[in-house]
Amino acid sequence: MKSTIHDVARRAGVSVSTVSRSFTRPQLVSAKTRQRVLDVAEAMDFRISRSAAALKTGQSMRIAMLISDSITTWFNSHVFAGLNNVFQPAGYDLSIYTMNTVQARAEFFASLPVRRNADAVVVCSFNIVPKEIAKLGNMDVPVVGINIPNTDRFDASVNVDDRQSMKLAVNHLTSLGHQRVAYVRASHGSPFRYRADERLEGFEEAVKEAGIADMTTSLRCPPGMDASNTALAQILSLNPAPTAVCFQTDGLAIPVLYGLHHYGREVPHDISIVGFDDSTYSEEIGLTTIQQKPYEMGVELARKTLCLIEGGRPDQPFEMFPTHLVLRETTQPPADR
Amino acid sequence: MKSTIHDVARRAGVSVSTVSRSFTRPQLVSAKTRQRVLDVAEAMDFRISRSAAALKTGQSMRIAMLISDSITTWFNSHVFAGLNNVFQPAGYDLSIYTMNTVQARAEFFASLPVRRNADAVVVCSFNIVPKEIAKLGNMDVPVVGINIPNTDRFDASVNVDDRQSMKLAVNHLTSLGHQRVAYVRASHGSPFRYRADERLEGFEEAVKEAGIADMTTSLRCPPGMDASNTALAQILSLNPAPTAVCFQTDGLAIPVLYGLHHYGREVPHDISIVGFDDSTYSEEIGLTTIQQKPYEMGVELARKTLCLIEGGRPDQPFEMFPTHLVLRETTQPPADR
DNA sequence: CTGAAAGCGCTTACAG
DNA sequence: CTGAAAGCGCTTACAG
């Protein structure tokens, strides 16, 4: 029913070796023969079986992506898209492994289902611990990371400087003259803990350097639906009121921005807002924010990974991607100045 | 280096058949033997090679998901998450095939790279044409769809009634007393064309039934960054001004909602807004909208697909998922009433 | 440039 | 309940 490489060989009057080469190493076959093989294959609706090829070559043609929360988040889905758009044309399938509970995570690293079944492992925004990295390292395939806290034991990575980026945001505000600045972060327990930590540290450093540390406040959003509501309530009740607020993510900033309007606080006249990510709606809404580009980071990390799989060395195994302060419409000098 | 089933068999003092059965059909092996095999396998870091198993069984253990735009959209990423969370534990990899240009699409259906390399094909929100479906059908694997215009030739599908759902939105507004209602849709050329069409038709029907067809306007967002800006500009310049606006998607509604605030129109006091999807931020922002649940739809479609792969018949091969009007804070009776 | 042959690591029908 | 053996569909080192 489905034709195999043997059927094609017979119909084309060549050996299976030649059929195989016509697909995988065309330069080894005469142009004439190759064309005939390809024509016959086409007529028979033949495709190379990836399972068979994988078995023979010892590669699984699969790459595992480890994430600690949902693939539906802005960051993860863009990284995934970037990775996939490089891996897919190269013949690799990208499989997601979601570790969103302590138990799922422990199970994954205990049983390591990807062993022997992945040609590389991509660790995405994961506060992965040394013991876990060691386990992955034992798999003898490249282990690469995107926005990982620490590159030890990794073969390649692509990162953003969260600390420095957040300082960009604060410096923008302080240089406008803001003195009472608040910071809103997601609750601990977030899978992005280390990134949250870095951003908070960047905020605190910048605020200290600006000499306004004693007038700043750090607010916490509890997990759940009302995260932004809680943040909003805290901002509105701060006394004296902050003239500017930095957010750990645009995802926190946008609902608060909306809520501020709702309660009659004009942005940026009454209060300035800076986000982080440049994610969904940020441009349309005019949110001033720190831009990072997870799609592009995914593309670049996939390239490095392919290079490693082929036994090469990426030019720049550990790359720091730039971020940019994007000025839009939610910041201005404080009104009382 | 990597141990195979033979190594395990030798160390455990059994045949490879028994090792294989211990993993894939445990009930065929005595508990004692199985435990010994599993212990040895564990000690040797052995995992079944999925490529080898796939070759032998004739299954590819891969499922293809066809989408016509990015995997990063709210709808697609949630469907993907739902599918993947069922397929992955069942041992299947889910591969994305993105056809976002006419050329990419033609190439895909001409070469059908998934032939012999997928155990099922999932068509996601695709205005797929009969000729294309026929090509997929020739692959001899289940072809299933999610939000497809027409279920002919499909083996299973999960859909939402876009037309009826939009009528829900309009009826809500007319029953509040709104008479001048506008509709905002994305430009044609969108990959979601058929869904956009259905929603527009639903809108027009509802408006006709309510007897306010002559007071309604349908606005179009051109593609690109300024889509919502253009819509906003049109809404603001309509004369007489509409008292309510329905949007094809929340993604269009949210930036416009923000823009209306910006230009001093109070929602819902001056103008009511209804979205469609219940997507990112809709709840936090209090957007009244039509809710659909792509994650749940993905889960259910994956279940049907698995059933079909195993040769069964899903209880309900073609399922219509409900949508709900979610009342929040962006609608009220018109102020001039 | 082409072919014959070995073998990748499993699963499963068959036999006991 | 267990094992010996065939074979899934390829790739590739070797020979010519």
Side-chain angles (χ1 to χ4, degrees):
Chain A
M1 159 133 271
K2 295 173 173 181
S3 32
T4 73
I5 200 169
H6 281 98
D7 304 326
V8 175
R10 199 175 313 124
R11 275 265 283 265
V14 296
S15 70
V16 293
S17 320
T18 299
V19 177
S20 175
R21 290 192 194 103
S22 298
F23 282 95
T24 56
R25 318 176 72 187
Q27 68 286 4
L28 296 187
V29 182
S30 78
K32 207 177 77 183
T33 308
R34 175 166 24 101
Q35 195 52 58
R36 180 154 39 94
V37 169
L38 262 29
D39 289 348
V40 169
E42 170 74 23
M44 300 176 80
D45 274 337
F46 170 77
R47 299 288 172 281
I48 294 279
S49 155
R50 298 178 63 199
S51 304
L55 173 56
K56 183 61 206 180
T57 61
Q59 293 212 309
S60 69
M61 301 313 283
R62 264 183 280 258
I63 292 175
M65 176 178 177
L66 273 42
I67 56 179
S68 58
D69 55 350
S70 170
I71 185 64
T72 63
T73 66
W74 173 80
F75 188 83
N76 286 344
S77 67
H78 280 81
V79 170
F80 176 81
L83 292 168
N84 197 52
N85 285 357
V86 173
F87 286 144
Q88 168 113 289
Y92 291 89
D93 280 328
L94 183 57
S95 315
I96 312 292
Y97 292 82
T98 307
M99 271 144 280
N100 47 12
T101 65
V102 173
Q103 193 195 341
R105 181 168 176 164
E107 254 168 38
F108 177 87
F109 284 101
S111 77
L112 221 53
V114 294
R115 179 185 293 274
R116 287 231 296 165
N117 289 301
D119 299 328
V121 178
V122 181
V123 177
C124 180
S125 259
F126 214 88
N127 61 336
I128 190 164
V129 302
K131 206 169 52 183
E132 293 169 336
I133 305 174
K135 283 221 137 202
L136 294 181
N138 287 341
M139 282 178 56
D140 261 329
V141 297
V143 178
V144 305
I146 186 159
N147 279 338
I148 44 169
N150 178 325
T151 59
D152 282 1
R153 301 273 234 136
F154 278 82
D155 296 296
S157 71
V158 148
N159 278 298
V160 128
D161 189 335
D162 283 285
R163 176 192 312 255
Q164 195 53 45
S165 301
M166 186 51 83
K167 292 179 77 167
L168 244 43
V170 178
N171 292 344
H172 166 56
L173 293 171
T174 55
S175 74
L176 287 176
H178 288 278
Q179 308 252 327
R180 292 195 308 279
V181 182
Y183 181 77
V184 174
R185 67 188 204 268
S187 154
H188 263 288
S190 148
F192 287 87
R193 180 150 51 84
Y194 95 85
R195 303 194 65 189
D197 289 347
E198 299 244 317
R199 291 184 192 168
L200 176 58
E201 284 168 24
F203 174 81
E204 285 170 346
E205 265 179 53
V207 125
K208 198 165 295 176
E209 285 167 21
I212 58 166
D214 56 334
M215 286 176 282
T216 67
T217 323
S218 169
L219 308 173
R220 191 170 299 181
C221 288
M225 292 307 179
D226 53 1
S228 49
N229 240 306
T230 316
L232 177 63
Q234 293 180 76
I235 292 169
L236 291 173
S237 60
L238 241 33
N239 191 350
T243 62
V245 186
C246 286
F247 289 81
Q248 186 187 309
T249 65
D250 287 0
L252 254 21
I254 289 174
V256 170
L257 176 56
Y258 187 84
L260 288 168
H261 281 294
H262 188 77
Y263 287 100
R265 303 283 174 103
E266 294 244 347
V267 176
H269 181 268
D270 301 334
I271 188 166
S272 287
I273 297 288
V274 186
F276 199 115
D277 278 345
D278 198 25
S279 59
T280 317
Y281 300 125
S282 300
E283 179 171 10
E284 286 94 328
I285 278 180
L287 180 67
T288 290
T289 192
I290 303 293
Q291 179 182 73
Q292 64 172 331
K293 301 206 158 189
Y295 177 88
E296 283 74 4
M297 292 168 78
V299 166
E300 181 52 36
L301 186 61
R303 289 200 188 114
K304 294 190 204 300
T305 307
L306 252 24
C307 176
L308 285 161
I309 289 176
E310 286 156 7
R313 279 190 145 284
D315 293 339
Q316 211 185 328
F318 303 99
E319 189 171 349
M320 191 66 86
F321 262 60
T323 56
H324 302 284
L325 172 66
V326 181
L327 261 24
R328 291 202 277 241
E329 300 156 28
T330 55
T331 54
Q332 69 175 42
D336 57 5
R337 223 200 162 192
Chain B
M1 162 133 268
K2 294 175 174 181
S3 33
T4 71
I5 200 169
H6 281 97
D7 304 326
V8 175
R10 198 173 316 124
R11 274 266 283 265
V14 296
S15 69
V16 294
S17 321
T18 299
V19 177
S20 175
R21 289 189 194 105
S22 299
F23 282 96
T24 56
R25 318 176 72 187
Q27 69 286 5
L28 297 186
V29 181
S30 78
K32 206 178 77 185
T33 308
R34 174 165 26 101
Q35 196 51 56
R36 181 154 38 93
V37 169
L38 264 27
D39 289 347
V40 169
E42 170 73 22
M44 301 177 80
D45 273 337
F46 169 78
R47 300 287 171 280
I48 294 280
S49 155
R50 297 178 63 199
S51 305
L55 172 57
K56 183 64 205 178
T57 60
Q59 293 211 312
S60 69
M61 302 311 282
R62 263 184 281 261
I63 292 175
M65 175 176 177
L66 273 41
I67 57 179
S68 58
D69 55 352
S70 169
I71 186 64
T72 62
T73 67
W74 174 79
F75 189 83
N76 286 344
S77 67
H78 280 81
V79 170
F80 176 81
L83 292 168
N84 197 52
N85 285 356
V86 173
F87 286 145
Q88 167 113 288
Y92 291 89
D93 279 329
L94 182 58
S95 315
I96 311 291
Y97 292 83
T98 307
M99 271 144 281
N100 48 11
T101 64
V102 174
Q103 193 196 342
R105 181 168 176 164
E107 252 168 39
F108 177 87
F109 285 101
S111 77
L112 222 54
V114 293
R115 180 186 292 277
R116 286 230 299 164
N117 288 300
D119 299 327
V121 178
V122 181
V123 177
C124 181
S125 261
F126 214 87
N127 61 338
I128 192 166
V129 301
K131 207 168 53 183
E132 293 170 336
I133 305 174
K135 283 222 134 198
L136 293 181
N138 287 340
M139 283 178 53
D140 261 330
V141 297
V143 177
V144 305
I146 186 159
N147 279 338
I148 43 169
N150 179 324
T151 58
D152 283 0
R153 301 271 236 136
F154 278 82
D155 296 298
S157 72
V158 149
N159 278 300
V160 128
D161 190 336
D162 283 285
R163 176 192 312 258
Q164 194 54 45
S165 301
M166 188 51 85
K167 293 179 78 166
L168 243 43
V170 179
N171 292 343
H172 167 55
L173 293 171
T174 55
S175 75
L176 287 176
H178 289 278
Q179 307 251 328
R180 292 194 308 281
V181 182
Y183 181 76
V184 175
R185 67 190 205 265
S187 153
H188 263 288
S190 148
F192 287 88
R193 179 149 50 85
Y194 97 85
R195 303 193 66 189
D197 289 349
E198 299 244 315
R199 290 182 194 168
L200 177 58
E201 285 167 25
F203 174 81
E204 285 170 345
E205 266 180 52
V207 125
K208 197 166 295 176
E209 285 168 18
I212 58 166
D214 57 334
M215 286 176 283
T216 67
T217 323
S218 169
L219 307 172
R220 191 171 298 179
C221 286
M225 291 307 180
D226 53 1
S228 49
N229 241 306
T230 317
L232 177 62
Q234 293 180 77
I235 292 169
L236 291 173
S237 60
L238 242 31
N239 191 349
T243 61
V245 186
C246 286
F247 289 81
Q248 186 188 309
T249 66
D250 287 359
L252 254 21
I254 288 173
V256 169
L257 175 56
Y258 186 83
L260 287 169
H261 280 294
H262 189 76
Y263 287 100
R265 304 283 175 104
E266 293 245 347
V267 176
H269 181 267
D270 302 333
I271 187 165
S272 286
I273 296 287
V274 187
F276 199 116
D277 277 345
D278 198 25
S279 59
T280 317
Y281 299 126
S282 300
E283 179 171 10
E284 285 95 329
I285 278 181
L287 180 66
T288 290
T289 192
I290 303 294
Q291 179 181 73
Q292 65 172 330
K293 301 206 158 189
Y295 177 89
E296 283 74 4
M297 292 169 77
V299 166
E300 181 52 36
L301 186 61
R303 288 201 188 115
K304 294 189 204 303
T305 306
L306 252 22
C307 176
L308 285 161
I309 288 175
E310 286 157 8
R313 279 189 145 286
D315 293 339
Q316 211 183 329
F318 302 100
E319 188 169 350
M320 191 67 86
F321 262 62
T323 56
H324 302 284
L325 171 66
V326 181
L327 262 25
R328 293 204 273 239
E329 298 157 28
T330 56
T331 54
Q332 69 175 41
D336 57 4
R337 223 196 158 193

